[in-house]
Amino acid sequence: MNSPSIQAKKHTKKSFVLRRGRVTAAQRRALNSLKNEYTIKLGKGMLNLAGAFLDPDRKLIADVGFGSGESLLSMANKYSEANFVGIEVYSSGIGSALNQIHENNLTNLKIIEADVFQLLETNIADDTFDGIVFLYPDPWPKRKHHKRRLLSERFLNLLYDKTTKNGLVFCKTDWENYYYQIKEGFSADERWASEDLTNLPEYLHSLPKTKYERKALIEGRQPRELFFRKASR
Ligand SMILES: C[S@@+](CC[C@H](N)C(=O)[O-])C[C@H]1O[C@@H](n2cnc3c(N)ncnc32)[C@H](O)[C@@H]1O
């Protein structure tokens, strides 16, 4: 269980640096014309995520930091029994995802443009997500930057609140010491149980290699997987 003093610490450092990477003409068009249809807009209060989908009674899965969107699009395309939300701050990735949602006519996928930390803290009700996926969260490899890593103790507490009973968290990282940090963070909290990777839900079967996974493999870093289930509430 986490101590109240740690919970009370303010999260000040962002887990991302907003990349000014080139936004292509097609991505720019999507950002201008498809946002209304496929994004969930932030307001001051809690979002009604289920209500944004045609079938609000389905399970709700989030892909946090979906980057170029390979994993997100693949999950939503292959697994129409659930609703998916992609959360990202990176415009070019959001533009790509919007185009692909439109081209594939997907009704079970929406995008939220937001810092996931603030989003969960401010706009998401408790017990919302049946599953949350993190594929290659920014590693912040230098020790002096480890405090910027998203999957900190404070964030794990937020994840606990925002997942449903038996909710799942799946994570892949190619940075060994981030892998152990995440593993130790969940293991230190008795409210989470480590799950066998053979029990992965269908939407996580045969995920495509994402851009960052391909980069990791080229650079000789081995991806590792972590899988946890909320044990109690
Ligand atoms: C290393 S990239 C991985 C992208 C993708 N999942 C992949 O495997 O190719 C990490 C992504 O997380 C996003 N990200 C980092 N912190 C975030 C935050 N607090 N809220 C939303 N997205 C975030 C970044 O913008 C970036 O696109």
Side-chain angles (χ1 to χ4, degrees):
M1 201 80 72
N2 299 310
S3 71
S5 62
I6 288 167
Q7 287 179 32
K9 265 189 207 155
K10 198 123 181 70
H11 179 75
T12 45
K13 288 278 179 205
K14 296 276 183 210
S15 62
F16 57 90
V17 174
L18 260 191
R19 285 173 279 165
R20 291 189 188 277
R22 200 168 83 85
V23 176
T24 65
Q27 289 162 351
R28 175 64 54 212
R29 271 196 302 279
L31 291 166
N32 287 334
S33 63
L34 300 177
K35 261 192 181 174
N36 276 346
E37 205 171 339
Y38 302 117
T39 62
I40 301 175
K41 298 249 166 358
L42 291 184
K44 279 196 178 141
M46 293 292 166
L47 293 173
N48 174 11
L49 293 189
F53 293 92
L54 271 186
D55 183 347
D57 295 326
R58 293 175 180 171
K59 289 199 166 184
L60 186 61
I61 317 298
D63 182 348
V64 173
F66 59 78
S68 307
E70 300 100 323
S71 53
L72 181 61
L73 268 294
S74 162
M75 287 191 287
N77 255 315
K78 282 202 295 212
Y79 196 71
S80 54
E81 290 88 344
N83 291 326
F84 291 85
V85 176
I87 302 165
E88 206 13 290
V89 287
Y90 169 46
S91 295
S92 125
I94 293 171
S96 289
L98 292 173
N99 269 328
Q100 292 176 73
I101 298 173
H102 190 63
E103 281 159 19
N104 290 278
N105 214 3
L106 291 176
T107 56
N108 66 330
L109 171 55
K110 302 283 179 199
I111 303 297
I112 303 180
E113 182 174 13
D115 173 347
V116 67
F117 208 111
Q118 276 179 4
L119 178 78
L120 295 190
E121 264 190 335
T122 322
N123 305 100
I124 301 291
D126 287 355
D127 302 312
T128 291
F129 295 111
D130 296 283
I132 308 195
V133 177
F134 300 87
L135 298 178
Y136 304 95
D138 286 313
W140 294 105
K142 290 186 182 152
R143 179 172 284 278
K144 66 177 178 187
H145 290 147
H146 283 188
K147 55 182 174 294
R148 301 188 68 148
R149 287 177 167 174
L150 180 61
L151 285 124
S152 63
E153 190 172 1
R154 184 172 155 88
F155 188 68
L156 298 198
N157 278 331
L158 263 181
L159 284 184
Y160 182 81
D161 290 340
K162 306 304 165 182
T163 41
T164 56
K165 187 173 181 212
N166 295 318
L168 302 175
V169 174
F170 177 71
C171 180
K172 265 181 148 185
T173 177
D174 53 316
W175 287 86
E176 192 180 18
N177 64 18
Y178 201 6
Y179 168 86
Y180 284 111
Q181 179 189 328
I182 298 167
K183 193 176 161 86
E184 280 158 24
F186 278 101
S187 307
D189 186 336
E190 62 200 9
R191 301 171 303 168
W192 292 100
S194 179
E195 272 283 317
D196 197 305
L197 286 163
T198 55
N199 294 332
L200 284 181
E202 208 182 317
Y203 58 86
L204 290 172
H205 292 180
S206 350
L207 285 178
K209 283 193 177 60
T210 64
K211 188 173 160 191
Y212 274 82
E213 179 162 348
R214 294 192 298 274
K215 184 168 178 264
L217 291 170
I218 288 169
E219 292 172 6
R221 288 186 306 277
Q222 205 46 43
R224 294 160 183 255
E225 299 181 330
L226 296 136
F227 183 31
F228 300 94
R229 181 182 296 276
K230 189 158 145 174
S232 62
R233 171 125 201 125

mmCIF file of all heavy atoms in Angstrom, residues 49-75:
data_model
loop_
_atom_site.group_PDB
_atom_site.id
_atom_site.type_symbol
_atom_site.label_atom_id
_atom_site.label_comp_id
_atom_site.label_asym_id
_atom_site.label_seq_id
_atom_site.Cartn_x
_atom_site.Cartn_y
_atom_site.Cartn_z
ATOM 1 N N LEU A 49 -17.418 8.744 -21.025
ATOM 2 C CA LEU A 49 -16.729 8.023 -22.097
ATOM 3 C C LEU A 49 -17.649 6.999 -22.759
ATOM 4 O O LEU A 49 -17.724 6.925 -23.986
ATOM 5 C CB LEU A 49 -15.488 7.310 -21.554
ATOM 6 C CG LEU A 49 -14.345 8.197 -21.074
ATOM 7 C CD1 LEU A 49 -13.119 7.360 -20.781
ATOM 8 C CD2 LEU A 49 -14.001 9.256 -22.090
ATOM 9 N N ALA A 50 -18.345 6.206 -21.951
ATOM 10 C CA ALA A 50 -19.200 5.156 -22.531
ATOM 11 C C ALA A 50 -20.203 5.784 -23.493
ATOM 12 O O ALA A 50 -20.468 5.246 -24.577
ATOM 13 C CB ALA A 50 -19.905 4.396 -21.421
ATOM 14 N N GLY A 51 -20.736 6.963 -23.111
ATOM 15 C CA GLY A 51 -21.763 7.632 -23.911
ATOM 16 C C GLY A 51 -21.255 8.139 -25.253
ATOM 17 O O GLY A 51 -22.036 8.531 -26.119
ATOM 18 N N ALA A 52 -19.947 8.123 -25.455
ATOM 19 C CA ALA A 52 -19.388 8.595 -26.733
ATOM 20 C C ALA A 52 -19.439 7.499 -27.797
ATOM 21 O O ALA A 52 -19.117 7.747 -28.959
ATOM 22 C CB ALA A 52 -17.937 9.031 -26.515
ATOM 23 N N PHE A 53 -19.837 6.285 -27.410
ATOM 24 C CA PHE A 53 -19.819 5.160 -28.353
ATOM 25 C C PHE A 53 -21.231 4.699 -28.697
ATOM 26 O O PHE A 53 -22.151 4.854 -27.907
ATOM 27 C CB PHE A 53 -19.044 3.988 -27.739
ATOM 28 C CG PHE A 53 -17.581 4.268 -27.576
ATOM 29 C CD1 PHE A 53 -17.089 4.793 -26.386
ATOM 30 C CD2 PHE A 53 -16.698 4.042 -28.620
ATOM 31 C CE1 PHE A 53 -15.735 5.067 -26.232
ATOM 32 C CE2 PHE A 53 -15.347 4.317 -28.487
ATOM 33 C CZ PHE A 53 -14.869 4.829 -27.291
ATOM 34 N N LEU A 54 -21.345 4.084 -29.892
ATOM 35 C CA LEU A 54 -22.636 3.560 -30.344
ATOM 36 C C LEU A 54 -23.203 2.564 -29.341
ATOM 37 O O LEU A 54 -24.380 2.584 -29.035
ATOM 38 C CB LEU A 54 -22.459 2.819 -31.677
ATOM 39 C CG LEU A 54 -22.591 3.610 -32.964
ATOM 40 C CD1 LEU A 54 -22.539 2.663 -34.155
ATOM 41 C CD2 LEU A 54 -23.881 4.424 -32.982
ATOM 42 N N ASP A 55 -22.319 1.655 -28.882
ATOM 43 C CA ASP A 55 -22.752 0.689 -27.875
ATOM 44 C C ASP A 55 -22.010 0.977 -26.570
ATOM 45 O O ASP A 55 -20.870 0.565 -26.376
ATOM 46 C CB ASP A 55 -22.431 -0.741 -28.359
ATOM 47 C CG ASP A 55 -22.938 -1.764 -27.365
ATOM 48 O OD1 ASP A 55 -23.295 -1.379 -26.228
ATOM 49 O OD2 ASP A 55 -22.975 -2.954 -27.710
ATOM 50 N N PRO A 56 -22.675 1.693 -25.655
ATOM 51 C CA PRO A 56 -21.979 2.138 -24.438
ATOM 52 C C PRO A 56 -21.749 1.015 -23.428
ATOM 53 O O PRO A 56 -21.032 1.216 -22.450
ATOM 54 C CB PRO A 56 -22.932 3.193 -23.856
ATOM 55 C CG PRO A 56 -24.257 2.938 -24.471
ATOM 56 C CD PRO A 56 -24.062 2.179 -25.734
ATOM 57 N N ASP A 57 -22.355 -0.176 -23.661
ATOM 58 C CA ASP A 57 -22.257 -1.243 -22.655
ATOM 59 C C ASP A 57 -21.044 -2.147 -22.831
ATOM 60 O O ASP A 57 -20.817 -3.054 -22.049
ATOM 61 C CB ASP A 57 -23.530 -2.105 -22.677
ATOM 62 C CG ASP A 57 -24.726 -1.285 -22.264
ATOM 63 O OD1 ASP A 57 -24.552 -0.397 -21.406
ATOM 64 O OD2 ASP A 57 -25.825 -1.492 -22.821
ATOM 65 N N ARG A 58 -20.263 -1.894 -23.865
ATOM 66 C CA ARG A 58 -19.095 -2.750 -24.088
ATOM 67 C C ARG A 58 -17.973 -2.423 -23.110
ATOM 68 O O ARG A 58 -17.948 -1.344 -22.529
ATOM 69 C CB ARG A 58 -18.545 -2.508 -25.501
ATOM 70 C CG ARG A 58 -19.469 -2.969 -26.582
ATOM 71 C CD ARG A 58 -18.850 -2.543 -27.877
ATOM 72 N NE ARG A 58 -19.658 -2.947 -28.995
ATOM 73 C CZ ARG A 58 -19.437 -2.560 -30.243
ATOM 74 N NH1 ARG A 58 -18.442 -1.742 -30.501
ATOM 75 N NH2 ARG A 58 -20.204 -2.972 -31.201
ATOM 76 N N LYS A 59 -17.028 -3.347 -23.021
ATOM 77 C CA LYS A 59 -15.829 -3.080 -22.205
ATOM 78 C C LYS A 59 -15.078 -1.896 -22.796
ATOM 79 O O LYS A 59 -15.146 -1.663 -24.016
ATOM 80 C CB LYS A 59 -14.920 -4.297 -22.198
ATOM 81 C CG LYS A 59 -15.531 -5.414 -21.395
ATOM 82 C CD LYS A 59 -14.538 -6.438 -20.967
ATOM 83 C CE LYS A 59 -15.234 -7.271 -19.911
ATOM 84 N NZ LYS A 59 -14.427 -8.257 -19.296
ATOM 85 N N LEU A 60 -14.359 -1.181 -21.954
ATOM 86 C CA LEU A 60 -13.629 0.006 -22.407
ATOM 87 C C LEU A 60 -12.130 -0.177 -22.144
ATOM 88 O O LEU A 60 -11.709 -0.416 -21.005
ATOM 89 C CB LEU A 60 -14.153 1.237 -21.658
ATOM 90 C CG LEU A 60 -13.602 2.583 -22.110
ATOM 91 C CD1 LEU A 60 -13.959 2.864 -23.578
ATOM 92 C CD2 LEU A 60 -14.164 3.711 -21.237
ATOM 93 N N ILE A 61 -11.362 -0.074 -23.214
ATOM 94 C CA ILE A 61 -9.915 -0.294 -23.141
ATOM 95 C C ILE A 61 -9.203 0.988 -23.585
ATOM 96 O O ILE A 61 -9.591 1.584 -24.599
ATOM 97 C CB ILE A 61 -9.469 -1.429 -24.118
ATOM 98 C CG1 ILE A 61 -10.425 -2.621 -24.076
ATOM 99 C CG2 ILE A 61 -8.008 -1.826 -23.862
ATOM 100 C CD1 ILE A 61 -10.529 -3.323 -22.761
ATOM 101 N N ALA A 62 -8.154 1.388 -22.853
ATOM 102 C CA ALA A 62 -7.379 2.577 -23.243
ATOM 103 C C ALA A 62 -5.981 2.167 -23.702
ATOM 104 O O ALA A 62 -5.352 1.294 -23.089
ATOM 105 C CB ALA A 62 -7.262 3.530 -22.055
ATOM 106 N N ASP A 63 -5.508 2.799 -24.779
ATOM 107 C CA ASP A 63 -4.107 2.661 -25.213
ATOM 108 C C ASP A 63 -3.465 4.024 -24.941
ATOM 109 O O ASP A 63 -3.791 5.022 -25.599
ATOM 110 C CB ASP A 63 -4.059 2.298 -26.706
ATOM 111 C CG ASP A 63 -2.633 2.077 -27.225
ATOM 112 O OD1 ASP A 63 -1.666 2.416 -26.522
ATOM 113 O OD2 ASP A 63 -2.505 1.581 -28.363
ATOM 114 N N VAL A 64 -2.575 4.058 -23.962
ATOM 115 C CA VAL A 64 -1.993 5.330 -23.520
ATOM 116 C C VAL A 64 -0.668 5.574 -24.242
ATOM 117 O O VAL A 64 0.214 4.725 -24.225
ATOM 118 C CB VAL A 64 -1.764 5.306 -21.990
ATOM 119 C CG1 VAL A 64 -0.998 6.546 -21.539
ATOM 120 C CG2 VAL A 64 -3.087 5.183 -21.260
ATOM 121 N N GLY A 65 -0.542 6.753 -24.868
ATOM 122 C CA GLY A 65 0.677 7.073 -25.610
ATOM 123 C C GLY A 65 0.782 6.179 -26.833
ATOM 124 O O GLY A 65 1.789 5.501 -27.034
ATOM 125 N N PHE A 66 -0.268 6.228 -27.682
ATOM 126 C CA PHE A 66 -0.345 5.270 -28.802
ATOM 127 C C PHE A 66 0.595 5.618 -29.948
ATOM 128 O O PHE A 66 0.733 4.842 -30.895
ATOM 129 C CB PHE A 66 -1.793 5.118 -29.302
ATOM 130 C CG PHE A 66 -2.432 6.382 -29.787
ATOM 131 C CD1 PHE A 66 -2.147 6.912 -31.039
ATOM 132 C CD2 PHE A 66 -3.341 7.057 -28.986
ATOM 133 C CE1 PHE A 66 -2.743 8.091 -31.491
ATOM 134 C CE2 PHE A 66 -3.948 8.233 -29.418
ATOM 135 C CZ PHE A 66 -3.647 8.750 -30.674
ATOM 136 N N GLY A 67 1.268 6.756 -29.873
ATOM 137 C CA GLY A 67 2.272 7.103 -30.885
ATOM 138 C C GLY A 67 1.674 7.204 -32.272
ATOM 139 O O GLY A 67 0.758 7.989 -32.509
ATOM 140 N N SER A 68 2.159 6.403 -33.187
ATOM 141 C CA SER A 68 1.642 6.446 -34.555
ATOM 142 C C SER A 68 0.347 5.648 -34.707
ATOM 143 O O SER A 68 -0.247 5.650 -35.782
ATOM 144 C CB SER A 68 2.682 5.903 -35.535
ATOM 145 O OG SER A 68 3.891 6.586 -35.340
ATOM 146 N N GLY A 69 -0.044 4.905 -33.684
ATOM 147 C CA GLY A 69 -1.375 4.295 -33.666
ATOM 148 C C GLY A 69 -1.469 2.863 -34.175
ATOM 149 O O GLY A 69 -2.576 2.320 -34.257
ATOM 150 N N GLU A 70 -0.328 2.236 -34.461
ATOM 151 C CA GLU A 70 -0.399 0.865 -35.022
ATOM 152 C C GLU A 70 -1.165 -0.078 -34.090
ATOM 153 O O GLU A 70 -2.045 -0.827 -34.525
ATOM 154 C CB GLU A 70 1.003 0.263 -35.222
ATOM 155 C CG GLU A 70 1.907 1.027 -36.150
ATOM 156 C CD GLU A 70 2.895 1.899 -35.383
ATOM 157 O OE1 GLU A 70 2.522 2.457 -34.346
ATOM 158 O OE2 GLU A 70 4.036 2.044 -35.850
ATOM 159 N N SER A 71 -0.810 -0.046 -32.802
ATOM 160 C CA SER A 71 -1.421 -0.985 -31.847
ATOM 161 C C SER A 71 -2.902 -0.662 -31.664
ATOM 162 O O SER A 71 -3.759 -1.558 -31.662
ATOM 163 C CB SER A 71 -0.713 -0.870 -30.501
ATOM 164 O OG SER A 71 -0.700 0.496 -30.093
ATOM 165 N N LEU A 72 -3.190 0.611 -31.528
ATOM 166 C CA LEU A 72 -4.558 1.050 -31.259
ATOM 167 C C LEU A 72 -5.505 0.640 -32.393
ATOM 168 O O LEU A 72 -6.579 0.076 -32.169
ATOM 169 C CB LEU A 72 -4.537 2.576 -31.107
ATOM 170 C CG LEU A 72 -5.831 3.273 -30.791
ATOM 171 C CD1 LEU A 72 -6.387 2.794 -29.461
ATOM 172 C CD2 LEU A 72 -5.619 4.786 -30.741
ATOM 173 N N LEU A 73 -5.074 0.922 -33.623
ATOM 174 C CA LEU A 73 -5.917 0.605 -34.785
ATOM 175 C C LEU A 73 -6.081 -0.899 -34.932
ATOM 176 O O LEU A 73 -7.168 -1.394 -35.241
ATOM 177 C CB LEU A 73 -5.312 1.207 -36.056
ATOM 178 C CG LEU A 73 -5.795 2.610 -36.432
ATOM 179 C CD1 LEU A 73 -7.284 2.571 -36.809
ATOM 180 C CD2 LEU A 73 -5.577 3.654 -35.357
ATOM 181 N N SER A 74 -5.002 -1.623 -34.677
ATOM 182 C CA SER A 74 -5.068 -3.074 -34.802
ATOM 183 C C SER A 74 -6.042 -3.651 -33.769
ATOM 184 O O SER A 74 -6.895 -4.485 -34.092
ATOM 185 C CB SER A 74 -3.659 -3.650 -34.623
ATOM 186 O OG SER A 74 -3.718 -5.004 -34.334
ATOM 187 N N MET A 75 -5.956 -3.187 -32.528
ATOM 188 C CA MET A 75 -6.854 -3.721 -31.484
ATOM 189 C C MET A 75 -8.315 -3.410 -31.830
ATOM 190 O O MET A 75 -9.174 -4.278 -31.749
ATOM 191 C CB MET A 75 -6.509 -3.100 -30.118
ATOM 192 C CG MET A 75 -5.221 -3.618 -29.526
ATOM 193 S SD MET A 75 -4.994 -3.135 -27.800
ATOM 194 C CE MET A 75 -4.611 -1.398 -27.926
#
